[in-house]
Amino acid sequence: MTDEHDPLDGDEPVVQTRYSCNENASEAVIRALAVAEGVKPTELDLLYESIDPEALNVLLGDPVISDELPTIIKFSISDYRVIVSSNGRITIL
């Protein structure tokens, strides 16, 4: 099932990137949002005002590529819709 903001519905991503086991999911989200905004990561609003970064890291853990469906977490921050997957994919819409 998709929602109205799912990139599969035709929305063009502002940023698409991946994270690896060398970086927490929350750190990668901050990095991707900084690219979307064209600023340094330290210039962004705090992530925890929109989502708990530790919970995000615990739920996703290290990215895993497998035949199973990935865990996907979607949330909004500023004017963006963020989609983070346990397979290491981050999409900013």
Side-chain angles (χ1 to χ4, degrees):
M1 177 165 53
T2 62
D3 69 24
E4 64 188 275
H5 296 288
D6 195 311
L8 299 177
D9 285 343
D11 288 344
E12 286 295 318
V14 176
V15 173
Q16 281 190 309
T17 189
R18 300 191 69 80
Y19 69 98
S20 68
C21 58
N22 298 327
E23 178 178 43
N24 291 328
S26 62
E27 293 169 347
V29 167
I30 292 168
R31 179 177 43 83
L33 286 167
V35 169
E37 287 284 310
V39 298
K40 295 178 184 178
T42 55
E43 296 176 38
L44 292 173
D45 291 334
L46 299 175
L47 185 62
Y48 71 81
E49 292 176 358
S50 297
I51 192 167
D52 181 341
E54 291 302 316
L56 185 67
N57 295 336
V58 169
L59 288 170
L60 295 175
D62 288 338
V64 176
I65 309 284
S66 74
D67 292 334
E68 296 180 24
L69 291 175
T71 299
I72 297 173
I73 298 175
K74 299 177 183 182
F75 61 96
S76 295
I77 184 169
S78 299
D79 292 332
Y80 298 102
R81 181 88 171 138
V82 179
I83 304 168
V84 188
S85 174
S86 62
N87 66 7
R89 185 179 199 164
I90 298 172
T91 303
I92 310 286
L93 300 172

